[in-house]
């Protein structure tokens, strides 16, 4: 696992953008797993800038989003289809036919079949090459709340009170935050070839410390990335503030950059 600590959110987003660009240049038909929430917005802005200024091409890219609120349709302003369209898709040349986001309006009786189909679609696309993740204050990835099986697949998950409260900021006053989601499972995420996890701000410092330096546990589902063979964690100074081995991560990231320059290769 490589931990890259930047001074600011903007620097962190640029560093993550460079990694995504490198992978896209290596594989134009990249299968990208995407996340929502406030954290990846800077990364999406950076990719949009690269598309506009450098011609970064998304026309062969396929995307799978991690999750969606159950009950919210594709045009609901707080739904994740709307979020992705506004913050990323409509600004780049991605083929709308290659975009996959769980449908929050699926009929309850069809949910299991629908979730199994989402998994099949990922497999049929050749699997996810690069999965982008945020992290919740409770350590969740996607909407895999504490206690989610580390082998779980796409399914319905009930949100914790903490997540509902955190996400209330995106909803109108008086509007109810949904308490169910459809989310890729922890097991689904772990099958990606490569994982990038982003976190910014003091409010994420505890979750990051638990995920990176604590034990692997279903109580902090992000901690499962310790078992993945190819992970880069991008943090700003605040999110990294409680890490005990911060100096080593900085030293290792700088050394890794030098080493990468020498061999022009992949990091593990
Ligand atoms: P945030 O959410 O980026 O809005 O902080 C992250 C998450 O809950 O996964």
């Amino acid at each position: 696992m490589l931990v890259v600590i930047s001074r600011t959110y903007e620097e962190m987003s640029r560093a993550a953008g460079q990694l995504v660009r490198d992978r896209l240049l290596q594989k134009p038909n990249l299968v990208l797993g995407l996340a929502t929430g406030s954290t990846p917005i800077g990364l999406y802005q950076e990719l949009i800038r690269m598309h506009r200024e450098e011609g970064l091409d998304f026309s062969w890219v396929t995307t799978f989003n991690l999750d969606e609120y159950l009950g919210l349709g594709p045009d609901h302003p707080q739904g994740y289809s709307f979020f992705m369209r506004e913050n990323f898709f409509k600004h780049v040349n991605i083929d709308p036919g290659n975009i996959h986001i769980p449908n929050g309006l699926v009929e309850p009786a069809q949910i299991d079949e629908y979730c199994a189909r989402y998994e099949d679609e990922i497999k049929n696309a050749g699997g996810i090459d690069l999965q982008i993740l945020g992290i919740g204050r409770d350590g969740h990835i996607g909407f895999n709340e504490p206690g989610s099986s580390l082998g779980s697949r796409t399914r319905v998950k009930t949100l914790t009170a903490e997540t509902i409260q955190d996400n209330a900021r995106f909803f109108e006053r008086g509007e109810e935050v949904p308490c169910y989601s459809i989310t890729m499972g922890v097991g689904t995420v772990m099958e990606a070839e490569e994982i990038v996890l982003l976190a910014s701000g003091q409010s994420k410092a505890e979750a990051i410390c638990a995920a990176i330096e604590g034990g692997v546990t279903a109580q902090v589902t992000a901690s499962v990335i310790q078992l993945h063979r190819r992970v880069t964690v991008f943090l700003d100074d605040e999110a990294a503030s409680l890490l005990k081995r911060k100096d080593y991560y900085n030293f290792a990231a700088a050394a890794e950059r030098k080493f990468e320059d020498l061999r022009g290769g992949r990091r593990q």
Side-chain angles (χ1 to χ4, degrees):
M1 183 191 306
L2 194 64
V3 181
V4 178
I5 304 169
S6 302
R7 271 176 313 139
T8 64
Y9 173 74
E10 289 72 22
E11 256 182 54
M12 176 195 85
S13 303
R14 276 198 295 277
Q18 279 164 19
L19 185 148
V20 177
R21 176 183 55 196
D22 288 352
R23 301 304 183 261
L24 189 46
L25 293 176
Q26 281 162 6
K27 188 178 180 205
N29 60 344
L30 200 70
V31 181
L32 263 177
L34 297 177
T36 49
S38 50
T39 310
I41 289 178
L43 165 62
Y44 295 144
Q45 284 171 350
E46 185 59 9
L47 294 175
I48 293 164
R49 186 196 64 71
M50 289 170 174
H51 171 67
R52 288 190 179 144
E53 294 176 11
E54 301 166 15
L56 191 63
D57 183 14
F58 291 87
S59 58
W60 297 96
V61 168
T62 298
T63 64
F64 288 90
N65 263 79
L66 280 167
D67 47 18
E68 177 59 291
Y69 292 110
L70 202 58
L72 302 195
D75 293 319
H76 192 288
Q78 275 71 42
Y80 290 158
S81 287
F82 186 87
F83 174 98
M84 288 307 302
R85 208 160 52 236
E86 290 304 308
N87 288 295
F88 187 42
F89 294 146
K90 78 176 189 188
H91 306 286
V92 295
N93 63 335
I94 191 156
D95 178 348
N98 290 348
I99 293 169
H100 304 81
I101 301 181
N103 174 11
L105 294 183
V106 64
E107 290 296 324
Q110 255 106 61
I111 286 177
D112 289 350
E113 191 193 326
Y114 177 81
C115 291
R117 210 161 56 235
Y118 201 69
E119 293 274 334
D120 286 344
E121 282 177 317
I122 294 173
K123 279 198 196 85
N124 294 340
I128 292 173
D129 293 306
L130 176 60
Q131 176 66 57
I132 309 294
L133 298 174
I135 183 171
R137 281 194 303 135
D138 62 7
H140 70 208
I141 47 175
F143 273 135
N144 292 288
E145 299 288 35
S148 292
S149 157
L150 298 183
S152 52
R153 316 302 310 187
T154 302
R155 70 215 183 289
V156 171
K157 192 72 202 169
T158 306
L159 307 187
T160 61
E162 196 175 19
T163 299
I164 292 172
Q165 186 196 327
D166 283 349
N167 291 1
R169 70 189 195 276
F170 298 111
F171 287 75
E172 298 285 330
R173 214 177 247 255
E175 199 180 1
E176 216 172 295
V177 183
C179 64
Y180 301 110
S181 67
I182 296 182
T183 181
M184 271 187 212
V186 182
T188 323
V189 167
M190 285 294 282
E191 278 172 12
E193 272 298 307
E194 181 172 10
I195 290 176
V196 158
L197 187 144
L198 300 162
S200 150
Q202 197 62 45
S203 67
K204 299 293 173 67
E206 271 184 36
I208 280 297
C209 190
I212 296 178
E213 294 183 338
V216 174
T217 167
Q219 292 304 312
V220 181
T221 53
S223 65
V224 77
I225 65 170
Q226 294 177 38
L227 298 174
H228 197 279
R229 63 197 174 282
R230 198 174 181 211
V231 180
T232 307
V233 180
F234 290 99
L235 306 172
D236 66 6
D237 261 339
E238 288 188 357
S241 59
L242 297 178
L243 290 174
K244 291 180 195 64
R245 297 192 184 275
K246 201 171 156 181
D247 290 345
Y248 172 67
Y249 304 140
N250 284 331
F251 175 70
E256 177 72 20
R257 272 192 295 275
K258 269 194 219 156
F259 194 56
E260 261 203 354
D261 285 348
L262 284 177
R263 67 175 177 171
R266 294 159 55 117
R267 48 186 158 201
Q268 300 295 324

